[in-house]
Amino acid sequence: MSTKLLSVNDLHLSFHTFAGEVKAIRGVSFDLHKGETLAIVGESGSGKSVTTKSIMRLLPKESSEIKKGEIVFDGKDLAKASEREMQGIRGKEISMIFQDPMTSLNPTLTIGKQIMEPLLKHQNMSRSEARKRVIELLNLVGIPNAEGRFKQYPHQFSGGMRQRVVVAIALACNPKVLIADEPTTALDVTIQAQILELMKDLQKKIDTSIIFITHDLGVVANVADRVAVMYGGQIVEIGTVDEIFYNPQHPYTWGLLSSMPSLDADEEELYAIPGTPPDLLNPPKGDAFAPRNPNAMQIDLEKEPPMFQVSDTHFAKTWLLHPDAPKVEPPATIRQRRTKPEDKPSLQKEDF
């Protein structure tokens, strides 16, 4: 196995609100290895962005609190790092690409200046060296006429081009970890495909590790090596991309995969998971997904399931994997996916 770059261990994080304590992250653990892309998927409100913002320590100090756990990066626990230490890490060692490029860029500064900023701050480059590196980065992310566009402002760029600029800023210092928080949500499908292709290409070129947050499982198939499925502030299943798509074990993962549009589906209606996500002001006692799970057992309502091991790389948090649990078949749409590895070696772009 390749080197571990980042380890999140039993992370618990709460928000203090007027209504009470919202237990947003409840015991999240995962590792990120050198050169891999880990996708974190789940519905809105499942805790994906909060988890990654806590790694960057970007959550408001006044209202958020890490109650327990550690975030180990380069031998340091970022959960205990000071703001000064984090300023040396953000942008240099760990970078982030946000959802909307327009809110990530300063409309009053030229894009050249904005890409130069991390180079001047973290790399101690002279202005002429930084300018040269900015031109290289603009070419790298596929912006034509880089010299001419250096002095232009964000409003002179299209949405896709602005997101390329944001990618260039994030990659300026060759970070070890790049966190991409739904970087293609604000873009149309064609531009989305270009940005995803760009990120895959750049990962090979600069050898960075990526945490990719998305609610779109079609995107995951194209970019990820491993997938973590989040629900109710917890990781409920984690495995390689093939394991999650072709041998999912958690009923929530079944629901997510069943609700994906497919070109060869017979049903006219798209499946939707019934019910709503749990209220994390009062987290449920047992399995958080139990009220929405048609196969829920009594134990699901009383006791939280542990992580059961399915293979060396595949784990799922469901009582259905207990040796004494009744055999429950996944929905027909999931069973159709279950083909032998030799029949379907790995996910292809054409599958979606």
Side-chain angles (χ1 to χ4, degrees):
M1 182 56 97
S2 53
T3 330
K4 253 187 228 175
L5 261 188
L6 177 77
S7 281
V8 175
N9 303 317
D10 195 26
L11 185 67
H12 290 253
L13 184 140
S14 289
F15 289 106
H16 301 290
T17 70
F18 290 118
E21 183 186 341
V22 177
K23 297 177 176 76
I25 302 297
R26 306 181 300 134
V28 163
S29 299
F30 65 85
D31 298 322
L32 180 70
H33 299 97
K34 192 170 171 21
E36 84 163 339
T37 298
L38 171 72
I40 302 180
V41 302
E43 292 167 291
S44 295
S46 56
K48 311 181 297 291
S49 294
V50 173
T51 300
T52 48
K53 280 180 181 162
S54 63
I55 293 169
M56 294 280 279
R57 297 285 301 280
L58 286 174
L59 295 166
K61 281 198 188 72
E62 312 74 47
S63 57
S64 66
E65 181 192 355
I66 293 175
K67 308 279 281 190
K68 188 182 165 194
E70 52 180 19
I71 302 159
V72 181
F73 173 72
D74 253 4
K76 252 192 231 107
D77 183 3
L78 302 187
K80 294 185 173 71
S82 67
E83 179 55 26
R84 191 179 176 83
E85 285 175 304
M86 286 310 300
Q87 284 175 7
I89 290 169
R90 283 188 209 116
K92 184 183 182 189
E93 307 276 351
I94 307 176
S95 271
M96 197 158 186
I97 300 169
F98 294 96
Q99 239 177 67
D100 184 2
M102 207 51 196
T103 55
S104 306
L105 296 170
N106 185 332
T108 66
L109 293 177
T110 63
I111 60 118
K113 271 191 178 167
Q114 295 187 59
I115 305 173
M116 275 169 80
E117 192 178 345
L119 296 169
L120 298 171
K121 180 174 168 56
H122 294 301
Q123 307 289 78
N124 299 322
M125 288 184 175
S126 67
R127 292 195 82 80
S128 60
E129 285 173 326
R131 187 192 160 89
K132 194 176 160 201
R133 173 74 177 135
V134 170
I135 303 298
E136 280 172 18
L137 283 163
L138 289 173
N139 284 319
L140 186 70
V141 298
I143 289 180
N145 183 21
E147 291 265 0
R149 306 215 76 170
F150 182 92
K151 287 188 173 171
Q152 291 188 329
Y153 290 86
H155 73 267
Q156 293 172 283
F157 287 73
S158 67
M161 285 295 172
R162 281 198 290 264
Q163 195 61 297
R164 285 172 189 266
V165 172
V166 172
V167 172
I169 294 171
L171 297 178
C173 298
N174 288 340
K176 292 178 183 170
V177 178
L178 178 64
I179 298 171
D181 186 355
E182 305 220 22
T184 57
T185 303
L187 307 172
D188 67 51
V189 180
T190 320
I191 306 299
Q192 187 179 58
Q194 290 173 12
I195 296 291
L196 292 174
E197 208 54 53
L198 170 70
M199 288 185 71
K200 277 168 74 177
D201 189 38
L202 292 175
Q203 186 180 23
K204 291 190 195 100
K205 284 181 184 163
I206 66 167
D207 193 30
T208 189
S209 302
I210 298 175
I211 298 176
F212 198 99
I213 301 171
T214 183
H215 59 266
D216 183 343
L217 283 158
V219 166
V220 170
N222 299 335
V223 298
D225 300 306
R226 285 192 307 135
V227 182
V229 181
M230 277 195 86
Y231 183 78
Q234 298 178 321
I235 288 177
V236 295
E237 187 161 6
I238 189 164
T240 65
V241 70
D242 283 357
E243 285 168 337
I244 297 297
F245 274 82
Y246 295 124
N247 190 27
Q249 299 293 322
H250 198 284
Y252 179 59
T253 315
W254 296 349
L256 286 180
L257 288 165
S258 299
S259 57
M260 278 178 68
S262 167
L263 291 174
D264 42 61
D266 301 327
E267 293 87 5
E268 285 182 16
E269 279 188 24
L270 200 56
Y271 174 79
I273 302 171
T276 53
D279 173 10
L280 295 181
L281 270 168
N282 302 295
K285 196 164 68 161
D287 183 345
F289 189 62
R292 306 173 73 184
N293 178 8
N295 301 306
M297 300 173 283
Q298 190 56 39
I299 193 169
D300 283 314
L301 304 169
E302 293 164 3
K303 199 172 173 194
E304 191 179 306
M307 269 285 191
F308 289 93
Q309 184 166 359
V310 183
S311 74
D312 289 346
T313 51
H314 191 183
F315 299 83
K317 193 179 175 73
T318 171
W319 285 117
L320 288 176
L321 290 172
H322 191 279
D324 299 336
K327 185 99 180 89
V328 173
E329 278 293 327
T333 49
I334 305 299
R335 292 200 301 274
Q336 284 162 15
R337 290 173 180 274
R338 287 183 165 173
T339 50
K340 290 179 190 163
E342 57 268 26
D343 298 338
K344 191 115 184 175
S346 66
L347 286 163
Q348 299 298 321
K349 204 171 188 171
E350 297 75 44
D351 293 349
F352 297 91

